[in-house]
Amino acid sequence: MRCRDLVLGMLLFGTAQPLLAEDVRYTARDGITYREVVQKVNVPVSETTYQTHTEKFYQERLTTDMQESQRAYLTPVTEYRWEAYTPFSINPFAPPRVAYRWVPRTHWEQRTETVRTPVTRRELVPAERTVSRPVTTLKMVEKEQVTRIAIAPPAQPAASVASRNAIGGVSNLQNDPPRIGSTSLTPMGNLRR
């Protein structure tokens, strides 16, 4: 019996440790005698606590710098100059003459300029942060387990016992209801012995 209770207790409490102590006592309650077995067993209990610590990690940092560069381009340049020309005359007898006028002259020149271009750099920079993590510990706690078994039923008074009358060779209980329904078509009074 004790070995079976030990196996049953270990199955009920998972990985419970073997019994530490056992105490047997007898108690009576409401006229019934009970055998109480008080057992002390070790039961695993998990406990979760939070621990804070600092950890190092690398975080990304983006830096944007303006980078200067030289660029060559062509641009039109217009200059005005005096240009001599012979004006047209209707009079064929007029002496030839020379006149001057402003004439635009356009040519292309190559120039350079400084251009500022944004350049983004990606860097990994070491950093620290404080984190809180759960830590679960398993410890054994002593627990008291009481098993109560009834060993003596209460004595029944004589008045509550059903009266028994013998019918044939069978005892008849007057206060006992039938366990199966009766399918008889004849009433009980018409039956003859």
Side-chain angles (χ1 to χ4, degrees), residues 89-96:
S89 176
I90 298 178
N91 185 2
F93 301 108

Side-chain angles (χ1 to χ4, degrees), residues 59-64 119-125:
Q59 67 181 4
E60 185 180 40
R61 184 172 68 186
L62 299 176
T63 307
T64 302
V119 176
T120 302
R121 288 184 294 125
R122 177 180 170 266
E123 295 176 316
L124 292 177
V125 180

Side-chain angles (χ1 to χ4, degrees), residues 51-55 57 128-132:
Q51 293 181 352
T52 58
H53 64 281
T54 58
E55 66 178 12
F57 68 102
E128 288 185 354
R129 65 181 165 200
T130 303
V131 293
S132 179

Side-chain angles (χ1 to χ4, degrees), residues 73-88:
Y73 65 98
L74 293 174
T75 184
V77 176
T78 302
E79 295 178 348
Y80 287 88
R81 296 184 183 170
W82 285 105
E83 185 177 86
Y85 72 98
T86 306
F88 177 73

